[in-house]
Amino acid sequence: MTSLPTAFLALPLPIVQLSLSAVLKCGQSFRWTAYSLNIDSENACLPTHEYRFCLRDRVVCLRQTPTSILYRTVLPNPQPNVDQRKLHEAETLLWLKDYFQLDVNLASLYEEWGSRDKVFSEIKDRFSGIRILRQDPWENLISFICSSNNNISRITKMVQNLSKEYSSPLLSLSVPDGSGVEEIYHPFPPPSALAHPDVSARLRSLGFGYRAEFIHRTAKMLVETHGNTVHPREQDESSEQWLRTLRDMNTEDARAELLKFVGVGRKVADCVLLMSLGKTDVVPVDTHVYQIAIKYYGMKASPKGKMNMTPKLYEELSTKFVQVWGGYAGWAHSVLFTSDLKSFSLHGLPPPMSPLSTPTKNRKKRSREMTDLVPTFSTPPSTSSLSDSSTATEFACSKSPAERVKKRARK
DNA sequence: GCACTACCGTGT
DNA sequence: CACGGTAGTG
């Protein structure tokens, strides 16, 4: 089962376009493992870490230099010949471009957000290279059902336990820190593996808490509704493929589909819309985002001082951030969110001035500063050059019948 | 539509 | 008590 190492290939990419260390451990995906490389010299051009991710049929290993991403593919035995190996590396390269969405120019977006928003311009140079991954919707959905009322380190453990418990080991590989230790890599399990009757009890005993039932019922419903026949070529189940078709749906319809699952509320649905269904403008709102809005965007704090996230407040925050940042608001939000995780070094910023919801009209002295802070508050969302056609259409369809569809009862 | 409350487990 | 919420009530 042990696989032999192969050489790394290089994909030229400026570090401002992608920071692996920031993106892979910031709570988007919970299945990347990071290893220190024990660099003896202080050469800043050498990678300090390696990151690994197990796909259905291979393990992808990544390192980063200031000017490129180094990648290599590890396959299970039997090992392919040289020609087959080249094909696999070509496939991995295509996967990388898709997964990291490298056709999106992140540096341009940072400029755009910085010119729209003073708060963003203050942090953008310290938190560069943070982009939204384009994940597999099935893994993304289950991972974020785990995320409710939870923290990153525990979510990571849960998702890894899920993989270890419900999918066969693909291969093992020695860790790159020179210790000689071998690690076993598991893909993310398919829906049918989690739809089995005794799954929820087992997950309970694995420490999943009340999310155990959510996961089981979601998997069961998905398999019952959309099947588990395995596509001969794609290698994945029909319900996983169906989830991917939500990418072709408009935001409101896709969200309505996601909300049908147990354990999926507005916040989790929006995370999936943003992180695996390509809805770039969706801003998932949680308590952190609310705090950020209060501290730096003049959002009025709740009268009672409680953090009650009502649907109304959620909608208000979400739409206002779209007004601030535009068609890629969800991407911008993740930069702010990541900087907040690193316990916010925003001290030099001016105090919050502009109420996000209701601007005070009798304070002219402040109205100028408000304009300074958030120049685009009163202007409609931009559908400028940065937004591609699919994003523009998202703004276009403002109402949809599916928005009114209620979460139907299930047994 | 809207405001509660319980909830599994971990960290402070 | 809070935590990167949600389902179930009234």
Side-chain angles (χ1 to χ4, degrees), chain A residues 364-382:
Chain A
K364 297 192 171 158
K365 194 173 162 193
R366 289 197 166 180
S367 83
R368 198 209 163 298
E369 295 173 71
M370 163 187 159
T371 319
D372 259 8
L373 190 61
V374 188
T376 55
F377 256 159
S378 47
T379 60
S382 150

Side-chain angles (χ1 to χ4, degrees), chain A residues 195-210:
Chain A
H196 199 71
D198 55 359
V199 165
S200 91
R202 178 78 184 121
L203 289 180
R204 275 268 174 187
S205 71
L206 286 172
F208 278 65
Y210 55 80

Side-chain angles (χ1 to χ4, degrees), chain A residues 239-257:
Chain A
S239 62
E240 294 175 90
Q241 296 165 35
W242 176 80
L243 277 176
R244 276 200 289 276
T245 66
L246 299 184
R247 285 172 173 162
D248 303 324
M249 237 176 247
N250 68 53
T251 298
E252 288 70 30
D253 291 347
R255 180 185 290 129
E257 288 297 328

Side-chain angles (χ1 to χ4, degrees), chain A residues 67-85:
Chain A
T67 55
S68 66
I69 299 294
L70 306 176
Y71 66 97
R72 95 179 153 128
T73 307
V74 181
L75 298 158
N77 288 323
Q79 292 303 302
N81 65 37
V82 182
D83 288 331
Q84 293 167 325
R85 198 161 290 212

Side-chain angles (χ1 to χ4, degrees), chain A residues 213-321:
Chain A
E213 282 78 27
F214 294 165
I215 291 168
H216 174 239
R217 291 174 66 187
T218 292
K220 190 164 178 286
M221 175 179 162
L222 208 39
V223 168
E224 284 172 354
T225 312
H226 297 101
N228 65 344
T229 57
V230 179
H231 192 108
R233 294 185 57 92
E234 315 285 335
Q235 196 85 60
D236 60 358
E237 300 181 354
S238 48
S239 62
E240 294 175 90
Q241 296 165 35
W242 176 80
L243 277 176
R244 276 200 289 276
T245 66
L246 299 184
R247 285 172 173 162
D248 303 324
M249 237 176 247
N250 68 53
T251 298
E252 288 70 30
D253 291 347
R255 180 185 290 129
E257 288 297 328
L258 293 171
L259 288 175
K260 290 176 184 172
F261 297 109
V262 199
V264 179
R266 177 67 191 265
K267 194 264 180 176
V268 170
D270 280 0
C271 284
V272 175
L273 289 171
L274 174 66
M275 300 181 193
S276 61
L277 298 181
K279 309 308 184 204
T280 59
D281 61 325
V282 171
V283 179
V285 176
D286 52 37
T287 51
H288 268 248
V289 171
Y290 189 25
Q291 298 284 9
I292 291 172
I294 291 171
K295 277 201 283 192
Y296 303 104
Y297 293 88
M299 180 68 197
K300 57 174 195 282
S302 176
K304 316 292 183 216
K306 294 186 177 181
M307 291 296 296
N308 266 359
M309 184 55 60
T310 65
K312 185 190 174 93
L313 178 58
Y314 189 111
E315 198 62 49
E316 200 175 332
L317 286 164
S318 190
T319 57
K320 284 302 176 183
F321 276 121

Side-chain angles (χ1 to χ4, degrees), chain A residues 388-403:
Chain A
D388 60 21
S389 55
S390 70
T391 308
T393 56
E394 287 171 34
F395 286 114
C397 38
S398 54
K399 70 166 86 166
S400 143
E403 185 76 72

Side-chain angles (χ1 to χ4, degrees), chain A residues 37 41 55 68 82 128 140 153 161 184 204 299 327 353 360 385:
Chain A
L37 286 179
S41 81
L55 296 172
S68 66
V82 182
S128 62
N140 192 209
S153 78
N161 280 337
I184 302 170
R204 275 268 174 187
M299 180 68 197
M353 291 299 167
T360 25
S385 53

